[in-house]
Amino acid sequence: MVIGMQIKNYKLKIVKTLLMFIGILYLIFLYMDIFNIQIFIPTDIIKFISIILTFIISLLLEEYAINAKGIFLLQLGLFLTIFADLFLLVLNRKYILGIALFCIIQILYSIRYDSHRTKATIINFITIFLILIIIYITMEVDFIFVISIYYIICLLTSTIRGIRVCTDKLYPSPNRQMIALGMIFFLFCDINVGFFNIIGYMEPAGKYINLLHNISSISIWLFYLPSQVLLCISEHRFK
């Protein structure tokens, strides 16, 4: 029993160390992005390392989880996030696959926040996807537009459910606040992703347009990493 307690305390010390390290990485890449500084490690790699570390933290906290289903869905979501960011951030290609993975991630989170309606949630998301596929076939629009619309629906659904977790007190405190704030930050991140892409297509680019483009670029990860950290520890039993 003593050995077991020592192992648990050791794991918690590792988690605290990793959280501090993620905080340092966060400050480093924000500083690099704001002042457009380049070092021997690209900011994208630093950001990707921080995402991997959040998944590792969720593994270390598994035995402290509030419930088994919740930690499983969370870990699966964070695991898929690694691959989604690999495609969209590091490789900067296979955008449809990356967005599709984020759709699955948001569906997993929606199920986590309303586990009593798992079957209905899955059926609803499948139905919406099939409707969008029919629109894609009949209207001959670009598929990346369709998958992006689907992602927006998935994101808004999981965000609303995450907020309800807090307002309806479905999780203990401070877990419910972490979930709500994490999903709100997730939403803010993707709002800036949308601004960044829309502004990027605007021609000609003026002084203020370029400024907005830079602000949205920095704001993506300003919100994204905190959202992932909050979510990765939101299943932890604090009491």
Side-chain angles (χ1 to χ4, degrees):
M1 185 175 179
V2 175
I3 296 176
M5 287 298 297
Q6 289 177 341
I7 293 174
K8 286 184 177 181
N9 291 333
Y10 182 68
K11 284 184 178 180
L12 288 177
K13 288 181 180 178
I14 295 176
V15 168
K16 291 178 181 178
T17 302
L18 290 178
L19 287 172
M20 290 178 61
F21 187 55
I22 290 173
I24 293 171
L25 294 179
Y26 181 67
L27 294 176
I28 289 173
F29 71 65
L30 281 181
Y31 181 82
M32 292 173 64
D33 286 347
I34 291 171
F35 296 100
N36 195 24
I37 297 173
Q38 298 295 328
I39 60 174
F40 62 96
I41 302 178
T43 57
D44 290 347
I45 299 301
I46 298 175
K47 294 170 182 175
F48 187 62
I49 291 172
S50 66
I51 292 301
I52 295 175
L53 292 178
T54 58
F55 171 67
I56 293 174
I57 289 174
S58 72
L59 296 178
L60 292 171
L61 292 177
E62 181 174 359
E63 62 182 297
Y64 305 93
I66 295 173
N67 66 76
K69 184 176 181 179
I71 191 63
F72 171 75
L73 292 170
L74 176 62
Q75 289 174 341
L76 183 56
L78 292 172
F79 179 69
L80 293 178
T81 298
I82 293 175
F83 290 95
D85 283 329
L86 176 64
F87 294 129
L88 297 175
L89 177 68
V90 179
L91 300 178
N92 197 25
R93 57 190 175 92
K94 296 187 181 295
Y95 300 111
I96 291 177
L97 181 56
I99 297 172
L101 285 173
F102 270 120
C103 290
I104 297 172
I105 291 163
Q106 297 301 340
I107 292 171
L108 291 172
Y109 290 163
S110 289
I111 295 172
R112 179 190 172 211
Y113 304 146
D114 195 0
S115 58
H116 298 295
R117 295 195 301 162
T118 299
K119 185 176 180 180
T121 297
I122 294 173
I123 292 174
N124 289 339
F125 278 118
I126 291 175
T127 302
I128 293 170
F129 182 73
L130 292 176
I131 292 172
L132 290 174
I133 289 297
I134 293 172
I135 293 174
Y136 165 70
I137 295 173
T138 56
M139 298 184 63
E140 297 182 354
V141 295
D142 196 326
F143 187 72
I144 196 169
F145 174 76
V146 173
I147 197 68
S148 296
I149 293 297
Y150 186 61
Y151 174 69
I152 292 172
I153 295 171
C154 295
L155 173 63
L156 290 175
T157 303
S158 61
T159 301
I160 291 170
R161 290 190 179 187
I163 294 172
R164 284 178 178 171
V165 164
C166 185
T167 57
D168 296 346
K169 298 182 179 180
L170 302 179
Y171 267 67
S173 181
N175 304 77
R176 59 176 177 265
Q177 290 89 349
M178 290 179 174
I179 290 173
L181 192 58
M183 292 310 305
I184 291 171
F185 282 174
F186 214 141
L187 178 62
F188 285 170
C189 161
D190 285 319
I191 288 173
N192 280 284
V193 170
F195 280 141
F196 178 80
N197 290 318
I198 292 171
I199 294 172
Y201 285 111
M202 296 177 66
E203 293 290 345
K207 176 182 177 181
Y208 295 107
I209 295 297
N210 288 332
L211 179 61
L212 288 173
H213 192 253
N214 292 334
I215 291 174
S216 62
S217 176
I218 295 169
S219 297
I220 290 171
W221 278 84
L222 176 69
F223 291 111
Y224 182 57
L225 184 56
S227 78
Q228 299 307 295
V229 172
L230 285 168
L231 292 177
C232 88
I233 61 176
S234 63
E235 197 68 38
H236 176 61
R237 188 185 295 110
F238 288 93
K239 296 179 180 179

